Amino acid sequence: PDPGIARRRMILPFEEPDRFAAADFIEAPSNAAARAALAAAEAWVNRRLILGGDAGGGKSHLASLWAGRSGATILHAARLRVPAASDGAPLVIEDIDTAAEPIALLSTIERATLARQPVLMTCRTPPARLAIEPADLASRLRASLTIRIEPAEPELLETLLFRLAALRQMNL
């Protein structure tokens, strides 16, 4: 690019707090398979669903919406140090590919399985491509229904850009 143009670029701080309201979610072909799977929890393999995809693709937003509808408890794998107690509610476990204590994650999944609780998990890296230890955890994750949220299409990005601009009272 022209160095003169690069010096004149204005960086817009579009960092947003997490807003996971249903009205804020943008339905698009890239997230259609995930939305369909979330609507049919009874069809999840072993009562587990893993939503995968790039950062900012809508995994956490969809997980939050599902948690609200199902009464699920939301856990973050990076903060899970001991197995979560089973209270009978469905579970959402965010970012399983960042688990700090894999044994705690495995035990939490096992407790949910024994209690017949649905477990929705999110990750950026598909379980099949993760180097997961212990082997039992790898087995449980690979024996789960996995849906990838595809990269956003231009129409979704355009809608998102207009929403972000409108929040800042900007006209594009």
Side-chain angles (χ1 to χ4, degrees), residues 74-110:
I74 299 176
L75 306 170
H76 296 272
R79 289 186 239 146
L80 194 61
R81 302 282 187 246
V82 296
S86 175
D87 63 0
L91 292 177
V92 170
I93 307 174
E94 290 272 16
D95 303 318
I96 59 169
D97 45 352
T98 65
E101 295 290 337
I103 297 295
L105 177 59
L106 172 62
S107 295
T108 299
I109 292 169
E110 282 300 296

Side-chain angles (χ1 to χ4, degrees), residues 2-55:
D2 178 355
I5 292 174
R7 283 194 304 261
R8 292 180 281 169
R9 284 189 192 145
M10 180 171 73
I11 305 298
L12 299 176
F14 277 153
E15 292 286 327
E16 283 297 309
D18 291 336
R19 296 168 36 116
F20 293 145
D24 292 326
F25 188 78
I26 302 168
E27 293 185 3
S30 56
N31 57 48
R35 288 184 286 113
L38 289 169
E42 66 282 354
W44 298 357
V45 176
N46 298 314
R47 290 188 174 75
R48 295 188 296 264
L49 171 64
I50 299 173
L51 292 181
D54 298 333

Side-chain angles (χ1 to χ4, degrees), residues 106-168:
L106 172 62
S107 295
T108 299
I109 292 169
E110 282 300 296
R111 287 179 178 185
T113 299
L114 291 173
R116 302 180 60 81
Q117 297 167 261
V119 180
L120 170 61
M121 297 171 271
T122 67
C123 64
R124 291 185 188 176
T125 305
R129 292 196 348 217
L130 289 172
I132 302 171
E133 291 294 330
D136 285 347
L137 176 58
S139 171
R140 300 310 183 279
L141 296 178
R142 291 180 182 133
S144 304
L145 175 61
T146 301
I147 303 284
R148 175 171 165 70
I149 296 177
E150 298 300 328
E153 45 277 292
E155 297 80 10
L156 187 151
L157 294 174
E158 182 178 316
T159 301
L160 182 60
L161 178 62
F162 278 102
R163 281 191 186 178
L164 292 172
L167 286 171
R168 288 165 179 74

